[in-house]
Amino acid sequence: MNTVMKRGPFLLVILLAAAATAIAAGVALFHDGLSARAVPSRLESLLANRTRHLSIPTDARRTVNPITATPQNLREGRLHFADHCSICHANDGGGLTMFGLGLYPKPPDLRRPETRQLSDGELFWIIENGVRFTGMPAFSGHGGAEEDSWRLVHFIRHLPQLTPEELAEMERYNPKGVEDRLEEQEEDDFLNGSAKPSNSQQPAKKNPNMP
């Protein structure tokens, strides 16, 4: 009985600390009314990064990239990124796109040390399995080969050295809407000399009742 009474204040402190931690976590998670426009708090970012690190198996973190970083593999990774990833991450990896800015949490700047310090195995695991409670989807099992994900790892390493020529090539592989495709088709028709005149340029039809 005396032992229980002596431990009472200690247990109370632990319970209060746990309650304070739960409240702080709740405030960090539900701030701004769950709006996706909000910016994660420092505590939330710290907890999320730590949880992500712990969720990746040790063997996966230590996995070595089996694909060599040849110019051809880098190009294939770059164009794959432009077609599959740029809509959220942007061609340069900065994440400043309409969809990227509308996500919570926002996509990380892939050029920053926080991302580049991840091992090849960690980057591959994230690409293949996604990150729960974020906009990062899992790409494994969707018809793509693992080699594509390993090439993406090489391209992510290359992002800080991306050249204007590489960016220009990536733009041609970005997903396009209907209006963009129609505009490109009109430009191609014009350059090929097969463009049709617009309604304002078409000659008026002669009225058969007029002389």
Side-chain angles (χ1 to χ4, degrees):
M1 185 66 178
N2 291 334
T3 303
V4 174
M5 292 180 64
K6 290 180 180 179
R7 291 182 178 177
F10 178 71
L11 294 175
L12 179 60
V13 171
I14 292 178
L15 290 175
L16 290 175
T21 302
I23 292 173
V27 171
L29 182 62
F30 297 109
H31 64 92
D32 295 314
L34 292 181
S35 170
R37 296 168 59 88
V39 177
S41 65
R42 185 173 300 178
L43 174 61
E44 186 178 354
S45 298
L46 178 64
L47 292 174
N49 289 333
R50 184 59 181 169
T51 301
R52 184 194 64 192
H53 176 76
L54 294 174
S55 68
I56 301 176
T58 302
D59 291 344
R61 291 199 295 267
R62 296 174 179 173
T63 305
V64 178
N65 195 334
I67 302 296
T68 306
T70 62
Q72 180 60 30
N73 281 330
L74 278 173
R75 181 175 184 272
E76 290 183 20
R78 182 172 69 250
L79 300 186
H80 190 82
F81 188 94
D83 184 48
H84 291 74
C85 314
S86 63
I87 193 169
C88 291
H89 289 283
N91 286 333
D92 62 2
L96 300 180
T97 68
M98 182 181 71
F99 288 105
L101 293 173
L103 291 173
Y104 184 90
K106 308 295 183 286
D109 188 333
L110 300 180
R111 301 164 298 185
R112 294 181 61 84
E114 292 82 355
T115 297
R116 296 177 53 75
Q117 288 171 358
L118 297 174
S119 69
D120 284 0
E122 285 176 302
L123 291 172
F124 173 81
W125 192 94
I126 291 170
I127 294 169
E128 287 285 293
N129 297 278
V131 181
R132 193 179 301 182
F133 305 124
T134 74
M136 180 63 192
F139 282 99
S140 63
H142 292 281
E146 289 187 353
E147 287 79 3
D148 291 332
S149 296
W150 284 119
R151 292 187 184 98
L152 286 175
V153 171
H154 282 310
F155 175 68
I156 291 171
R157 302 285 188 213
H158 177 71
L159 276 170
Q161 291 81 43
L162 204 61
T163 66
E165 293 76 17
E166 291 171 333
L167 279 170
E169 184 182 29
M170 292 177 73
E171 290 177 359
R172 297 197 295 271
Y173 286 81
N174 290 151
K176 295 179 176 62
V178 176
E179 293 182 359
D180 292 330
R181 295 186 183 278
L182 287 175
E183 183 177 353
E184 285 187 351
Q185 184 61 50
E186 291 176 356
E187 291 177 355
D188 291 340
D189 291 343
F190 177 79
L191 294 174
N192 293 328
S194 59
K196 296 181 180 179
S198 62
N199 292 334
S200 61
Q201 296 175 331
Q202 290 180 349
K205 293 183 179 179
K206 186 176 180 179
N207 189 332
N209 298 323
M210 297 292 292

